[in-house]
Each structure stands twice: as structure tokens, then as C-alpha cells.
Amino acid sequence: MESSRPLNYSDQEIIEQLRQNGVDRRKSEDQLFNRYSYFIREGINKHGLTEDDSFSAYSDSVLAAIEKISNRSFEGRSSLKTYLYQIFHNKCVDLLRKKTTNKSSVYRTESITDMLFFISDSGKSVVQKLIERTDWNILKAKMNELGGNCKQLLGFWSENYSDREIASLLEYKSADVVKTSRLRCLEKLRQLYKPTQQ
Amino acid sequence: MDSLEYIDSFYQGSRSTEETGIFEKNMKDDSGFAEQVAFYISARQLAKEESDEESRNRFREIYLNNKSKLTQQHKPVRKLWFYAAAAAVVAAIVFGMFRFNNNESGQALATRYLTDSLQNLGVRMSGEVNKMQATLNLYNEKKYTEALQGFEEIVNSNPADFQARIDAGLTSLQLNQYDKSIKYFSALQSDARFSNPALFYHALTLMKRNQTGDQEAARKMLEEVVDQKLEGAQIARKWLH
């Protein structure tokens, strides 16, 4: 019986697997989380966070790093450990400063900013005002009304999987079929959500 | 739908300066279009948050599993524990019957664990996602015969699918097909992956089968799970103590 559980993938291997968006991506995410999970202890000892807050800061840091690696914003100029630690350190400081604010709303703002990156400031303000009016609780409830297939499809899409990768994972005939199905799911969600906003 | 398709193409494809300019003009001139852009971004954001929540839950499970290892490193009581466990084993042999914690028999513990903790298998990633999800649904609906058939089909089409083989072993166990269950778990025990519950499940199978020598063998396996800090170590420690 072999005793060593962790597979010692190099940082580069983890990065490659996260960029490939294949069946091994979840395993790579788990490995990345596990590899530097001792940061949680640092969050407790150095920043005086509770274990739960330190875990949240670390989990969110890993998720942010995964997103940046996956969409290739992370260019590998620093080591994965240094990069992750910088994010984690900032999250810890944010948590200490904004102890009373809603953590998920902070994260939400960051991601929406990414989506608005390509648009000029005047265009951004138009869309931002409309997004601020979004009733997240209702939208979430309506998303839960979508079937499991739609939710799965939209989940992969939100994680930057390409339609071709989704087709391969979910056994769709082609990327075009994925695109059509994905847009149908979005339209269905819009139709469910729209009447609640009138 | 047409607007959503256009918005999707804008975000999914490469954007020229000219295309970006037209897109922005549409947003400013057409409030309905701007609303659809806002909806598209909001929907994607929400889907991301739901995915992230699943990941956080997965990370929490990993963290809690590993936490016991870190705690144990700071507690030099393993030798004492080892002698205590050895004494308990000897005592149990003397009395001719193995009892686990709370004086509950191994078989009763295994039955309770199967009922309490293995009635529902969560969403897993597998090479065959659709098929896997459908088979997991069968398992969760307690249609174990159909579920076993499903898992075995996945294993046959992809023998390297570790999770499907684990699930096939668990389903065999739910059907009291102990030999088949043991065959699956034995074959996976040497797989040196980060998270491998095969040895723990092998012990669970023996505890449930309860033939002569099964409880002793299960206890040894659980001790190995604890010693090697394998998946299931926390439960194994609880049962042994």
C-alpha cells in the first residue's frame, strides 16, 4: 500500500491543467487548494482572523487565482505560491477592513468589473446602473428553476470553458449545439426573470 | 434571443475597435439593449457564484479532512494511542468478538454509516458527465441494481475512471454484493492520488459482511487508514476509539 496521497504536480502542471478546462480541471483546483492550505494558519496567526474567516479568504483567493489562470491573465511572472499569497494577503486585509461588509458582494463587484473591462467609461456607467438594479435573490431563484442541464451548462460557461470544451465534457454533438443550448437557457432565464421586474 | 446572441458573440469572440464602438453606441441609444447586456453580465456572474459556492464546499471538505493531520502533528501521543489500541485488540481477541466505539458491533456501525452517510452521492466530475449524473441520480433514488449497471458501463468504457469504480464498489455494497465491492476497493487501494477512500470503504465492506475474521481485518485496515492519514481517517479514529 502506497502511503503518499498527494500527487506532487509541479506548479506548471497545475497551471496547464487549469488552462485546459478538461476533465482533470477539478482535480487541479483541489490540488492547488490543498498545496497552499497552510496559508489558512497564517491568516489566523499573522492577521488575527478566525479560522472560518481565514478559510473563506483562502478559498476566495484560490478561486480568484483559478479564474486568472484559466483566462490567462496570470502570465507566470511570479511563482504560483507568490501570486496566490499576494491575493490571500489582500483578501485578509480586505476582510479586516470590511469586517461588516458582505464578502460576496465585494467579490461580485470585482468580477463585474472584469466583464466591463472592454467598454468605455460612459458605456460602463449605463450598464453598471442597470446591474445595480438586479434583484439577485429573485434571479437566483429563477436560475434554480432552470433544469439541471441548463445550470450545468451555464456553470461551465461562467468558468470560461469554451463551447468546444463544454461539448466534449457534456457530450454535445458540437460547439454550435452548445452555443444554441446555452443561449436558449439564458433566454429562458430572462423570460422567467423579466416579469418580476415590471 | 437575437440580442443575446449578438451580446454573446461580442463577449465570446475577439472584438475589433470598430465592433466595440458599435456595441457601445447600441447600449447608449437603445435602453432595451443595455438592459439585455446588464442581464447577460448578471446571469454570468450569478452562474459563476453558484459554481464558486460548489467549489468552496469541496474545498471545505478537503480542509476538514486534512485538518486532523495537521492537528495530529502537534500531538505526540501516537505511541500511547498505539499501545492502547493494541491492548484493545488483544482484549477483543480474548473475548472472541470485536466491538468498536460505544460498544457497537462493527456490522451495526457499518450499517448505520451506509444509511447516514452514503445514501446520497453528490455531484461528481467524471469523463462521462451526463451518464455519471444520471447514474448518481439512480443511486440517490436507491435504484441500486440500475445504478450498478450504470457505473459498470462507465467503468467498462473508461477503466481509468477512478470515481466511477469507487461508486460501483459502494453500490455493490448497498446491494450486499460484498465480493464485488471488495474487488473494486482492493484494486483502487494502491492508487496514490490525493484523496483515496478505497481502503476505508474496503474496511466498511468487511464490517458489514461480518464473516469470521472480517472485523479483525477491518480493524487493521482502519488503523492503517488512521496511521497513513488516508481519506476516512477521522471516522476511522472515531470508530476505533
Side-chain angles (χ1 to χ4, degrees):
Chain A
M1 172 90 197
E2 292 180 42
S3 60
S4 59
R5 286 301 121 184
L7 293 173
N8 292 319
Y9 285 170
S10 66
D11 282 0
Q12 196 52 42
E13 283 169 325
I14 289 179
I15 291 165
E16 288 306 318
Q17 286 181 22
L18 289 174
R19 282 177 178 166
Q20 278 168 12
N21 285 339
V23 287
D24 287 333
R25 176 167 154 167
R26 289 285 183 271
K27 288 177 197 164
S28 309
E29 291 176 2
D30 292 352
Q31 284 216 5
L32 177 59
F33 173 86
N34 197 50
R35 174 166 296 185
Y36 302 110
S37 60
Y38 59 85
F39 286 180
I40 295 172
R41 182 84 12 221
E42 284 204 37
I44 298 167
N45 295 335
K46 278 192 181 173
H47 297 283
L49 293 175
T50 63
E51 185 179 14
D52 203 38
D53 281 347
S54 190
F55 169 84
S56 294
Y58 179 66
S59 297
D60 286 354
S61 304
V62 171
L63 289 170
I66 288 168
E67 189 172 0
K68 297 294 180 194
I69 293 168
S70 165
N71 67 19
R72 295 176 189 262
S73 304
F74 171 71
E75 294 172 347
R77 288 181 187 162
S78 60
S79 73
L80 195 50
K81 180 181 170 182
T82 306
Y83 182 65
L84 184 59
Y85 189 78
Q86 280 171 349
I87 301 174
F88 175 67
H89 174 76
N90 291 338
K91 295 262 181 206
C92 287
V93 172
D94 275 356
L95 253 182
L96 288 168
R97 281 185 189 152
K98 301 167 183 170
K99 200 78 175 151
T100 52
T101 59
N102 182 331
K103 279 176 266 173
S104 63
S105 69
V106 171
Y107 186 67
R108 179 176 291 157
T109 307
E110 285 172 4
S111 287
I112 287 175
T113 306
D114 283 350
M115 290 283 286
L116 295 173
F117 179 76
F118 306 101
I119 302 169
S120 68
D121 286 347
S122 57
K124 267 179 202 166
S125 67
V126 172
V127 178
Q128 262 168 340
K129 275 179 193 160
L130 290 166
I131 291 173
E132 280 167 18
R133 280 166 40 196
T134 303
D135 189 323
W136 294 99
N137 289 333
I138 291 178
L139 188 59
K140 189 174 180 176
K142 297 300 170 190
M143 190 172 274
N144 285 328
E145 285 179 27
L146 296 175
N149 286 347
C150 266
K151 279 194 74 180
Q152 202 174 26
L153 202 53
L154 295 180
F156 281 123
W157 164 65
S158 74
E159 289 185 83
N160 295 319
Y161 282 70
S162 69
D163 288 339
R164 190 172 51 81
E165 289 163 340
I166 298 174
S168 164
L169 277 169
L170 301 183
E171 296 179 343
Y172 281 83
K173 279 184 181 169
S174 66
D176 284 343
V177 177
V178 171
K179 185 180 176 181
T180 308
S181 307
R182 185 163 53 73
L183 289 172
R184 275 194 194 133
C185 292
L186 276 173
E187 181 59 24
K188 191 176 165 188
L189 178 62
R190 199 171 72 90
Q191 294 302 333
L192 285 169
Y193 175 68
K194 202 176 166 186
T196 65
Q197 302 304 299
Q198 287 169 347
Chain B
M1 180 81 170
D2 286 348
S3 291
L4 274 180
E5 194 168 354
Y6 169 50
I7 295 163
D8 188 64
S9 298
F10 177 78
Y11 275 107
Q12 298 288 95
S14 52
R15 292 158 290 267
S16 67
T17 314
E18 192 187 353
E19 283 166 342
T20 306
I22 294 168
F23 190 84
E24 283 183 11
K25 189 173 184 309
N26 287 334
M27 277 197 319
K28 287 173 198 163
D29 295 349
D30 182 349
S31 61
F33 179 74
E35 272 179 23
Q36 290 215 36
V37 174
F39 167 79
Y40 180 89
I41 294 173
S42 299
R44 185 175 166 111
Q45 179 55 35
L46 184 63
K48 179 75 170 69
E49 283 177 20
E50 300 260 298
S51 289
D52 285 351
E53 198 50 39
E54 281 177 24
S55 299
R56 281 191 198 95
N57 290 337
R58 218 173 60 241
F59 292 160
R60 186 171 291 280
E61 205 175 307
I62 293 170
Y63 178 63
L64 292 175
N65 275 337
N66 290 345
K67 202 176 149 188
S68 60
K69 295 181 198 171
L70 293 169
T71 313
Q72 217 179 29
Q73 282 168 6
H74 298 290
K75 288 182 183 171
V77 294
R78 234 177 79 187
K79 276 196 171 177
L80 190 63
W81 171 86
F82 176 79
Y83 290 126
V89 170
V90 171
I93 291 169
V94 169
F95 288 104
M97 184 188 286
F98 269 88
R99 292 274 156 183
F100 287 80
N101 102 340
N102 208 18
N103 209 27
E104 200 171 1
S105 76
Q107 191 177 39
L109 273 176
T111 305
R112 192 152 56 82
Y113 186 76
L114 277 166
T115 310
D116 293 348
S117 303
L118 292 172
Q119 279 222 339
N120 283 290
L121 300 179
V123 176
R124 309 271 173 81
M125 289 303 293
S126 164
E128 296 187 51
V129 178
N130 278 342
K131 172 80 176 168
M132 180 56 124
Q133 194 51 56
T135 311
L136 285 169
N137 289 342
L138 288 171
Y139 179 100
N140 293 339
E141 288 162 14
K142 296 189 175 59
K143 294 175 181 169
Y144 297 127
T145 308
E146 294 91 333
L148 181 57
Q149 194 184 337
F151 286 131
E152 290 189 327
E153 281 168 13
I154 296 172
V155 171
N156 287 336
S157 67
N158 180 16
D161 194 328
F162 179 87
Q163 195 57 59
R165 291 164 76 192
I166 286 284
D167 291 340
L170 285 176
T171 316
S172 306
L173 179 54
Q174 293 285 16
L175 287 165
N176 297 334
Q177 295 181 14
Y178 303 118
D179 291 346
K180 189 179 263 191
S181 180
I182 288 167
K183 199 173 132 194
Y184 276 113
F185 296 140
S186 303
L188 297 172
Q189 279 166 218
S190 58
D191 191 309
R193 65 185 56 228
F194 160 66
S195 178
N196 184 348
L199 186 64
F200 175 75
Y201 287 150
H202 189 166
L204 185 73
T205 308
L206 294 177
M207 286 161 69
K208 179 79 171 24
R209 186 171 71 172
N210 199 30
Q211 286 180 359
T212 310
D214 276 353
Q215 302 301 331
E216 293 94 322
R219 180 178 279 274
K220 279 178 190 155
M221 287 179 185
L222 292 177
E223 285 167 0
E224 192 178 340
V225 169
V226 172
D227 276 351
Q228 305 283 348
K229 297 161 189 159
L230 305 179
E231 190 171 337
Q234 267 185 316
I235 299 155
R237 191 177 299 111
K238 204 168 130 193
W239 284 351
L240 288 166
H241 284 188

